[in-house]
Amino acid sequence: NKMAQYTIQQERLCRLFNILGQLSPHSQLTVKELAVEYEVDERTIQRDIEVLERAELGIFSDEENRLKMGRNGYRKIQSWMTA
């Protein structure tokens, strides 16, 4: 069903933007916490993070598996918001 597929894509896009908005050089989020927040499987969040990593925004996990965005990626996002 095309409408169901469209809705799923919309939900994913919204989730990606929301996750992106939560990441910073100092964020303390984990994949598990995001999965609980968005009521999806951890693997779904991992796939979302892989998509965001391909955008070359400097997203990484620290030694405690907390998701962060490098300063350059964070500045890039900020510039999009103020442009």
Side-chain angles (χ1 to χ4, degrees), residues 31-73:
V31 168
K32 184 174 186 157
E33 290 167 340
L34 289 169
V36 169
E37 180 177 343
Y38 293 104
E39 299 177 352
V40 296
D41 190 76
E42 287 182 41
R43 183 65 190 121
T44 298
I45 297 295
Q46 289 170 337
R47 284 191 293 270
D48 289 346
I49 297 302
E50 289 167 8
V51 167
L52 294 173
E53 286 172 341
R54 286 196 298 270
E56 298 182 11
L57 296 170
I59 295 172
F60 64 96
S61 294
D62 68 11
E63 57 279 346
E64 296 174 3
N65 288 325
R66 302 227 175 251
L67 297 168
K68 306 212 181 269
M69 181 185 300
R71 291 187 191 283
N72 289 337

Side-chain angles (χ1 to χ4, degrees), residues 1-16 38 40 44 47-48:
N1 183 335
K2 286 190 181 224
M3 190 56 153
Q5 184 67 16
Y6 178 73
T7 302
I8 290 168
Q9 289 173 349
Q10 264 187 321
E11 287 177 12
R12 183 168 194 210
L13 187 58
C14 288
R15 191 174 59 245
L16 285 167
Y38 293 104
V40 296
T44 298
R47 284 191 293 270
D48 289 346

Side-chain angles (χ1 to χ4, degrees), residues 22-29 60 62 66-69:
Q22 291 178 280
L23 295 177
S24 76
H26 306 288
S27 57
Q28 298 292 310
L29 300 166
F60 64 96
D62 68 11
R66 302 227 175 251
L67 297 168
K68 306 212 181 269
M69 181 185 300

